[in-house]
Amino acid sequence: MKAARILFIAAAVSAMLKAQEATVVKAVGDRAQRGKLSDQRQFVRGDTGKWSDAATLQHIPPLAQKPQGLTLDEWSEQLAEKETATTATDDNWLIFRSRQYDDNDRMWIEKIERRGNEFTVTMHEAIWHGKYFKTFTYYEVTAVNFGRLPPGNYAVKWLVKPLTFKQLEKPAQPNKDNKDNWPMDEQPAGGKPVELHAVFSVR
């Protein structure tokens, strides 16, 4: 009886540990899928007069509630000082606004994981180290839909891992959107990943 009880406890503990393991919700399978884990993306050029000194992360109401005529960036600014809560019938959206980049720099979400009520988003930030001729700056606004969730409190950890590169897949075309022209020779860069956090409630 004692041995059977020990086996039962061991099985219960094993089941609990497996339940706590992170489940990969979405991940980039190959280079062609880069950028696909963002449900919406917006690029804000520096010559518009806007600038983003540091990356930010926030929970927002369902995009269906976004007023017509407002961009993702403009709406996130309006919501910056407001707490947002959703219900179990709402989709939950996170908006990440990057720091300022030069035009050849790239960012993409590599993986989204979930462990209970905690999400971890891993993003790569690839900084161009090739030769510059003519350049402009921009920051990227990317929105991710975590879907409908049961009532409770949730936390998101967003990791931005630094890379460096010198070669794009194809030559950049002047006066065109080249943001899906991805790095070919990216390598890990020095420095620790930037870590951002957001918490939100589902009622």
Side-chain angles (χ1 to χ4, degrees):
M1 289 289 292
K2 188 175 181 181
R5 187 176 180 184
I6 291 173
L7 286 172
F8 174 78
I9 292 172
V13 170
S14 177
M16 289 175 62
L17 290 174
K18 284 184 179 179
Q20 293 174 358
E21 290 178 358
T23 300
V24 176
V25 180
K26 297 177 182 177
V28 170
D30 55 47
R31 190 181 302 274
Q33 291 181 324
R34 290 181 174 181
K36 304 297 184 185
L37 299 191
S38 297
D39 291 290
Q40 288 201 26
R41 299 165 71 198
Q42 179 193 351
F43 307 106
V44 183
R45 283 179 53 142
D47 57 12
T48 62
K50 300 195 72 174
W51 192 271
S52 182
D53 290 316
T56 60
L57 180 66
Q58 66 187 115
H59 178 255
I60 61 168
L63 283 188
Q65 297 180 23
K66 182 171 71 68
Q68 282 191 335
L70 281 187
T71 65
L72 276 176
D73 190 46
E74 291 166 340
W75 198 38
S76 69
E77 286 180 335
Q78 286 191 6
L79 297 170
E81 303 301 324
K82 299 177 182 178
E83 277 193 30
T84 60
T86 51
T87 69
T89 60
D90 296 321
D91 284 345
N92 290 274
W93 288 81
L94 268 288
I95 281 188
F96 172 86
R97 179 192 288 178
S98 77
R99 67 181 179 89
Q100 205 79 10
Y101 293 134
D102 285 315
D103 58 336
N104 280 359
D105 299 336
R106 296 292 184 269
M107 53 162 275
W108 66 91
I109 297 171
E110 184 73 15
K111 184 168 55 177
I112 300 172
E113 299 170 281
R114 181 179 179 182
R115 179 184 284 108
N117 283 17
E118 298 179 359
F119 290 88
T120 300
V121 179
T122 301
M123 169 178 276
H124 289 311
E125 174 188 83
I127 303 303
W128 169 263
H129 278 194
K131 291 183 179 179
Y132 274 112
F133 297 97
K134 183 178 180 182
T135 184
F136 58 84
T137 63
Y138 79 101
Y139 62 87
E140 181 170 337
V141 183
T142 187
V144 176
N145 185 4
F146 287 88
R148 296 178 181 180
L149 299 168
N153 297 318
Y154 293 84
V156 179
K157 178 169 67 175
W158 196 292
L159 298 173
V160 184
K161 294 188 174 183
L163 301 173
T164 182
F165 76 103
K166 294 183 178 180
Q167 183 179 358
L168 289 164
E169 290 177 322
K170 50 186 180 289
Q173 297 296 312
N175 302 318
K176 290 187 179 181
D177 180 5
N178 294 285
K179 294 303 178 292
D180 289 321
N181 185 3
W182 300 107
M184 284 288 292
D185 58 345
E186 66 272 14
Q187 299 291 330
K192 295 181 179 179
V194 173
E195 190 170 314
L196 297 129
H197 296 268
V199 294
F200 62 94
S201 297
V202 178
R203 296 171 182 164

